[in-house]
Amino acid sequence: MDRDFWLFIGLIALAGLVGWNFGYPSEAALVTAIAILGWHTKALSSLSRWIIQPSRKPFVREHGQIYGIYRQLLRKNKQNKQRKRRLSSLINEFRNAVSALPDSIVLINQHRKIVWANPNSRKLLGIEWPLDNGVRFTDLIRDIDVEKLLKDEARFTQDQQQGVEIKSPLNHEQTISIKCVNYSDNTHMIIARDVSRLIKVNQIHSDFVANVSHELKTPLTVLRGYVEILSDSKDMPERFQKPLAQMNSQSVRMQLIVNDLLYLAKLENTDKPALHEPVIVSHLINTIVEALQPLMDEKEHRLELDIDDSIALTGASTELHSAFSNLVTNAIHYTPKGGKIGVVWRANKDQAQLHVIDNGLGIAPHHLNRLTQRFYRVDTDRSRDGGGTGLGLAIVKHVLQRHDASLRIESTESEGSRFICEFPAEKLLRGGADKVIAIAN
Ligand code: ADP
């Protein structure tokens, strides 16, 4: 800046001096100043033309101030080009990686329209990129569960692992799991994966358990029969009495396990009952409580019922009986003598809840998530002593899933537990038992 400034002053002074020799000092200085300004203006407009059209070299004097600006811009331009190249190669690498994924990745906008899809989307979902650019995802994948998944804004805050399983639109033998995650404010990423193999393996596993249980059933019944006959025999020597009693109790336990395993396999392998019957929950609870009364008396428990008999459910009565009965049996079993057991059935506009409450042993927080796994027990000996199979809560979970309901467990060690079954409003029938029976008929 300084250099240009002094050059400017110097030139004007020189022009003034020359002009003074001829008797026109100020005119000569003015003409020179205008010429210098004209030069600068030309250089500036040539620079601005170059910014728009970089192929044309600008008309600037080397070493001047404008030349400095030109050099700076040139450097910045070069850096930008390099950054752009790096970014586009990164994007290309990312796209290549996503394209190489065995899963299908589809990006959709807030109107559910496709904005990008990787090549595997063609194999799994029949979506072709760029042919299907701008087509609504749900116009190509017509499935009610997918519609629900994409509508359900809550999925972004809830468990993002949750998805839906659908039959592939291209091959009905193939099962596809579809998940949707929030990718940016207006874009969602749909991840589709072929889970046919996993389902097949699970099916084989579940069939195996069911077959083994089934095969064990008959020999066990025979064994139990003989053990019972021998236990009842008056000729049985004294020293065999104890081992026979043990054989009897163990075979009873095995039979209970086999029965529970078979029941679980049935729940897993049969479709949700399509036509649900009306279930009068108050009647169901009374039946369960009556059947368990001797057990409750034995443990001297006090029972408190708070049942809204105007609320009924649509569902499979035998399945719900088994689930609720398991919960009440557990409450009785895991509460020390003289405890308090509560059963509450109530509803609001969104859902109905069955609470089974006890003031028993309670459960430490780290067990809570695993309680519904098969054979998971907090205390194995205590469970076995009470005739527990370790499958009760797994059955509860399955039954509730089949009724679109869920199980929530609240518990504090040494204070007690509360098992809450939550049923969605669609499963409720409101009105007294008489009205529900009338609907059923
Ligand atoms: P089990 O046949 O062993 O009772 P469940 O599946 O019904 O099997 O229950 C799993 C485990 O959860 C039990 O072994 C027990 O440790 C714990 N549990 C279930 N219900 C209760 C309860 N009401 N209070 C304390 N612990 C419980």
Side-chain angles (χ1 to χ4, degrees):
M1 140 102 195
D2 283 355
R3 205 177 136 181
D4 268 18
F5 176 74
W6 290 120
L7 188 67
F8 184 60
I9 298 293
L11 279 174
I12 291 173
L14 189 68
L17 207 65
V18 175
W20 182 68
N21 272 339
F22 296 97
Y24 301 103
S26 46
E27 286 84 349
L30 190 67
V31 169
T32 311
I34 290 170
I36 293 172
L37 271 176
W39 176 275
H40 268 84
T41 310
K42 191 169 186 287
L44 273 174
S45 61
S46 145
L47 189 69
S48 78
R49 257 202 317 278
W50 169 78
I51 289 173
I52 297 162
Q53 220 180 329
S55 56
R56 291 179 61 177
K57 206 168 178 274
F59 168 73
V60 285
R61 185 177 62 83
E62 270 193 38
H63 310 302
Q65 194 184 356
I66 297 176
Y67 185 71
I69 297 173
Y70 165 66
R71 299 278 308 179
Q72 291 266 15
L73 286 173
L74 211 58
R75 194 170 326 124
K76 281 265 177 285
N77 239 355
K78 211 169 151 192
Q79 281 171 352
N80 277 346
K81 269 188 192 154
Q82 278 171 350
R83 197 170 308 138
K84 216 164 137 187
R85 257 201 304 271
R86 262 205 312 273
L87 275 177
S88 58
S89 92
L90 207 69
I91 290 172
N92 277 342
E93 266 177 41
F94 175 75
R95 285 211 164 171
N96 287 342
V98 176
S99 299
L101 279 179
D103 299 343
S104 152
I105 309 284
V106 182
L107 303 185
I108 57 168
N109 64 16
Q110 72 272 37
H111 307 298
R112 319 288 180 230
K113 287 185 176 169
I114 296 169
V115 290
W116 186 78
N118 72 345
N120 262 337
S121 303
R122 191 165 56 88
K123 266 197 278 173
L124 283 182
L125 300 171
I127 292 176
E128 279 198 55
W129 180 260
L131 200 70
D132 292 324
N133 185 9
V135 179
R136 276 173 70 91
F137 184 79
T138 40
D139 287 345
L140 296 176
I141 308 298
R142 292 181 175 275
D143 185 282
I144 188 127
D145 288 334
V146 173
E147 282 275 358
K148 266 200 226 154
L149 178 82
L150 298 185
K151 262 197 204 127
D152 176 19
E153 296 297 331
R155 69 182 182 276
F156 303 132
T157 49
Q158 288 171 356
D159 181 6
Q160 300 221 343
Q161 297 303 310
Q162 252 174 26
V164 295
E165 278 174 11
I166 62 161
K167 289 279 163 230
S168 160
L170 304 177
N171 173 4
H172 277 247
E173 301 283 292
Q174 213 176 18
T175 307
I176 311 277
S177 146
I178 294 196
K179 288 175 185 172
C180 182
V181 285
N182 204 7
Y183 166 74
S184 73
D185 276 354
N186 294 325
T187 319
H188 311 308
M189 187 194 288
I190 292 176
I191 306 163
R193 174 173 296 175
D194 180 1
V195 288
S196 319
R197 236 175 78 88
L198 195 72
I199 286 180
K200 214 169 183 172
V201 169
N202 280 346
Q203 189 60 46
I204 291 169
H205 169 251
S206 150
D207 286 351
F208 174 75
V209 174
N211 288 338
V212 170
S213 311
H214 195 75
E215 290 300 322
L216 282 176
K217 206 175 162 170
T218 316
L220 253 176
T221 314
V222 174
L223 206 73
R224 261 202 74 192
Y226 281 122
V227 171
E228 258 173 36
I229 292 170
L230 289 173
S231 309
D232 292 344
S233 163
K234 301 231 167 12
D235 308 329
M236 187 55 60
E238 179 75 24
R239 63 199 163 97
F240 289 136
Q241 299 286 340
K242 205 174 159 205
L244 272 174
Q246 264 178 6
M247 280 167 75
N248 194 29
S249 76
Q250 290 303 321
S251 58
V252 169
R253 218 171 78 74
M254 272 173 82
Q255 209 159 30
L256 289 174
I257 293 176
V258 165
N259 287 345
D260 274 359
L261 279 173
L262 281 172
Y263 190 56
L264 256 177
K266 194 173 133 205
L267 291 177
E268 279 177 348
N269 293 331
T270 51
D271 289 338
K272 281 186 191 177
L275 189 69
H276 276 185
E277 52 188 293
V279 181
I280 299 156
V281 178
S282 54
H283 289 187
L284 196 68
I285 293 170
N286 284 336
T287 318
I288 291 169
V289 166
E290 261 172 41
L292 292 173
Q293 195 60 51
L295 203 60
M296 233 168 318
D297 291 343
E298 196 184 305
K299 292 202 75 177
E300 296 167 19
H301 287 328
R302 192 153 49 84
L303 175 72
E304 282 180 10
L305 293 179
D306 175 5
I307 310 295
D308 182 345
D309 55 14
S310 69
I311 312 291
L313 279 176
T314 53
S317 169
T318 44
E319 291 184 16
L320 290 170
H321 181 284
S322 132
F324 296 168
S325 168
N326 265 317
L327 292 178
V328 182
T329 310
N330 277 351
I332 298 172
H333 178 56
Y334 296 108
T335 301
K337 236 177 166 178
K340 203 165 74 180
I341 310 294
V343 181
V344 178
W345 171 242
R346 62 178 173 222
N348 57 28
K349 68 175 187 3
D350 299 323
Q351 54 169 215
Q353 294 184 333
L354 179 98
H355 295 234
V356 178
I357 313 149
D358 66 65
N359 63 348
L361 304 173
I363 306 155
H366 63 275
H367 292 297
L368 291 181
N369 278 342
R370 302 188 60 192
L371 285 185
T372 53
Q373 286 175 7
R374 291 166 188 218
F375 298 113
Y376 187 84
R377 292 148 163 139
V378 174
D379 181 335
T380 309
D381 288 344
R382 186 174 284 130
S383 157
R384 280 187 185 148
D385 291 348
T389 59
L391 295 166
L393 291 181
I395 290 176
V396 174
K397 184 178 142 193
H398 266 85
V399 168
L400 293 183
Q401 268 174 359
R402 287 163 67 84
H403 287 79
D404 300 327
S406 55
L407 177 69
R408 196 149 56 82
I409 308 170
E410 296 171 0
S411 188
T412 310
E413 234 179 333
S414 317
E415 284 186 19
S417 314
R418 183 184 284 260
F419 287 75
I420 307 160
C421 308
E422 295 176 322
F423 294 86
E426 309 90 79
K427 295 276 164 200
L428 306 191
L429 291 173
R430 294 175 200 262
D434 295 344
K435 193 171 162 195
V436 171
I437 291 165
I439 295 171
N441 298 327

